[in-house]
Amino acid sequence: MRGAPYDQQPTSMSSSALKLTPAQIVQDLTQRQQVKNAFRFFEDNSEAITEAQMRICSIPAGPFSEQERAEYLRRQFLEQGLAEVEIDEEGNCIGLFKGSASHPLMVVSAHLDTVFSTGTDFTIKKMGQRLLAPGISDDGCGLAALLAISEALVRTKTKTHGSILFVGTVGEEGEGNLRGVRHLLTKGKWSGLIDSFLSFDGPGIDRITNQALGSRRYRVKLTGPGGHSWGDFGVPNPVHTLGNAISRLASYPLPKNLRTTFNVGKIHGGTSVNSIPAQASMDVDLRSADESELQRLDAYFRRAVHEAVERENSLKRPGDASLILDLDLVGERPSGQTPPGSPLVELAREATKVFSVDAQLDQSSTDSNVPISLGIPAITLGAAGSSGCSHTLDEWYEPENRDQGLKRGLLVALGTVGLAE
């Protein structure tokens, strides 16, 4: 399908929208009957939208196990009447809302995966308006927004100039390493055709994520001969070595004005208290608001690991086997930003002001990292409501004022692709 019919020269916004300021675009949209109808759809169907969120969040979607949830989304897109509905080679679920023209083509997305394994209990519990379940907010409320906006456009028979590609992405969390959006933008049939990108991730409407937080994630694995804690003392110890490397990392001189973080999130190894482990491993997350600082932290960490291994091996007894180091980069997220003065960011700010909120620009690690790194204007928005205990089994979400997030997202999408004349 590449190049037919999506073979026109891309533009970032509709030609009619480019004649107006972002404030004028938003003001004009809020006066259009099609937009008013869509707003009313969100208000009248608030309970149905919450029920849809509960249904999709009850479907397990652990890392690399998003297939069942993607299939559910595919059925919803088909029932709504979106075009070219499919699950692509990487597992993303895609549906196209066709405008009168191929471009501008905007992606509106939310991620399907959670940080929780498939064996987790995803049963939804209710306490008043509060919904409790793993992933109910991250990114259950984003997926609910995705379905609500696509259905509102279809139900109200909204006519757009450009087109909107609705996408449920895989692999946003953890070791997924943004594999879904990477495939969409660099390898899939839509690569090279997308002009702008909007993702919904989490709650709230007070922030606009236009800056991509870069990160590097490593798995460090050490293998040695192992032995008895008394009789073989002096044999290189993988756990001791990891401890030495962690201590060195903890002493990293953090910059004062650039937020930079490191975390040892998982550590494994050993069989008993009186055995020298034959193997140990740890997973490490490195992040910085600045790419050059991230590179410095990355180099410091790798050097700390190698020096810890060299030190342990230098202390071994004659004839003992040395530790073997396996240092793997298991995740890398690019940094960058969609400039604050770009039409997309300004449009999002003006759309937020409709609800008497002055949104703050934000930096985070989301699906938008990839399009930003490719030069595609991209932002991530909250889907309104409130939440807490994210990435824990006690995660919760309250849909109060959810319609504001849906309306804001709709204004940004329509302001980008334009309403048909």
Side-chain angles (χ1 to χ4, degrees):
M1 295 296 296
R2 182 188 295 273
Y6 288 84
D7 54 359
Q8 300 181 18
Q9 183 64 32
T11 58
S12 59
M13 298 185 72
S14 68
S15 57
S16 59
L18 288 172
K19 300 174 184 177
L20 304 174
T21 67
Q24 291 170 329
I25 293 171
V26 170
Q27 183 179 18
D28 176 68
L29 285 172
T30 57
Q31 302 305 312
R32 297 294 188 99
Q33 190 59 49
Q34 294 176 88
V35 175
K36 292 180 180 179
N37 292 342
F39 279 11
R40 189 161 35 283
F41 174 87
F42 298 140
E43 296 164 3
D44 293 344
N45 292 276
S46 59
E47 291 186 8
I49 294 168
T50 296
E51 290 172 0
Q53 179 181 356
M54 293 173 66
R55 282 195 297 273
I56 197 165
C57 286
S58 67
I59 302 171
F64 299 93
S65 300
E66 307 99 331
Q67 298 90 339
E68 186 179 354
R69 191 174 284 188
E71 178 57 31
Y72 173 84
L73 196 66
R74 186 188 72 84
R75 293 195 298 269
Q76 300 308 302
F77 283 166
L78 287 171
E79 289 180 12
Q80 290 176 2
L82 297 185
E84 302 195 40
V85 176
E86 65 170 346
I87 296 177
D88 70 13
E89 301 91 335
E90 195 64 38
N92 300 310
C93 181
I94 299 171
L96 177 68
F97 182 83
K98 283 188 174 182
S100 58
S102 306
H103 292 280
L105 176 61
M106 183 183 209
V107 167
V108 175
S109 75
H111 66 84
L112 292 161
D113 58 323
T114 72
V115 298
F116 305 96
S117 64
T118 304
T120 303
D121 182 3
F122 286 88
T123 302
I124 314 293
K125 300 180 179 66
K126 291 190 71 174
M127 295 177 60
Q129 292 297 309
R130 180 169 292 190
L131 309 176
L132 296 95
I136 191 68
S137 172
D138 183 12
D139 192 23
C141 63
L143 291 167
L146 194 69
L147 288 172
I149 291 174
S150 60
E151 185 172 3
L153 290 172
V154 173
R155 290 279 196 94
T156 59
K157 300 181 179 179
T158 299
K159 305 297 182 182
T160 60
H161 171 68
S163 300
I164 302 172
L165 196 66
F166 289 95
V167 185
T169 62
V170 297
E172 193 276 341
E173 299 284 11
E175 293 178 28
N177 200 32
L178 308 181
R179 63 188 177 90
V181 69
R182 287 182 199 274
H183 179 86
L184 177 75
L185 297 178
T186 64
K187 297 180 181 179
K189 75 177 187 180
W190 299 100
S191 63
L193 303 174
I194 293 164
D195 304 313
S196 57
F197 186 97
L198 163 64
S199 72
F200 288 105
D201 201 338
I205 63 167
D206 59 335
R207 295 185 179 276
I208 298 166
T209 300
N210 70 311
Q211 302 170 73
L213 176 60
S215 68
R216 307 274 174 84
R217 290 168 178 173
Y218 284 95
R219 177 160 296 138
V220 183
K221 182 179 178 181
L222 295 173
T223 305
H228 192 278
S229 62
W230 174 261
D232 294 308
F233 185 77
V235 166
N237 189 312
V239 171
H240 291 183
T241 307
L242 291 184
N244 190 351
I246 293 169
S247 177
R248 291 170 184 242
L249 177 60
S251 66
Y252 179 75
L254 291 169
K256 294 181 179 179
N257 300 320
L258 293 170
R259 180 162 168 75
T260 300
T261 66
F262 48 80
N263 181 61
V264 179
K266 291 169 63 178
I267 188 163
H268 298 282
T271 56
S272 70
V273 69
N274 60 340
S275 298
I276 298 172
Q279 189 178 95
S281 66
M282 65 177 178
D283 290 355
V284 181
D285 177 77
L286 311 175
R287 302 188 187 210
S288 180
D290 180 75
E291 180 62 29
S292 60
E293 180 59 33
L294 178 60
Q295 292 176 4
R296 281 192 288 272
L297 173 60
D298 180 85
Y300 181 94
F301 166 72
R302 287 185 284 107
R303 185 168 61 251
V305 171
H306 282 284
E307 289 177 353
V309 173
E310 290 170 3
R311 179 182 182 278
E312 186 73 8
N313 282 335
S314 71
L315 299 174
K316 69 183 180 67
R317 303 174 306 184
D320 286 340
S322 298
L323 288 179
I324 298 174
L325 169 64
D326 187 4
L327 179 61
D328 284 338
L329 180 66
V330 295
E332 183 174 13
R333 299 189 175 208
S335 59
Q337 71 168 338
T338 300
S342 72
L344 181 59
V345 174
E346 287 296 316
L347 189 62
R349 296 184 91 157
E350 293 299 329
T352 310
K353 290 178 182 178
V354 171
F355 310 101
S356 302
V357 175
D358 187 12
Q360 302 300 306
L361 300 185
D362 188 32
Q363 183 174 39
S364 188
S365 180
T366 69
D367 270 341
S368 289
N369 283 43
V370 173
I372 286 174
S373 72
L374 297 173
I376 299 171
I379 57 173
T380 295
L381 299 178
S386 59
S387 74
C389 302
S390 182
H391 285 201
T392 76
L393 296 176
D394 298 318
E395 186 170 338
W396 59 267
Y397 175 78
E398 290 186 2
E400 184 179 6
N401 297 324
R402 185 208 296 268
D403 65 290
Q404 294 182 358
L406 303 178
K407 293 172 182 176
R408 178 177 71 159
L410 180 71
L411 289 173
V412 173
L414 293 181
T416 302
V417 303
L419 286 174
E421 297 298 333

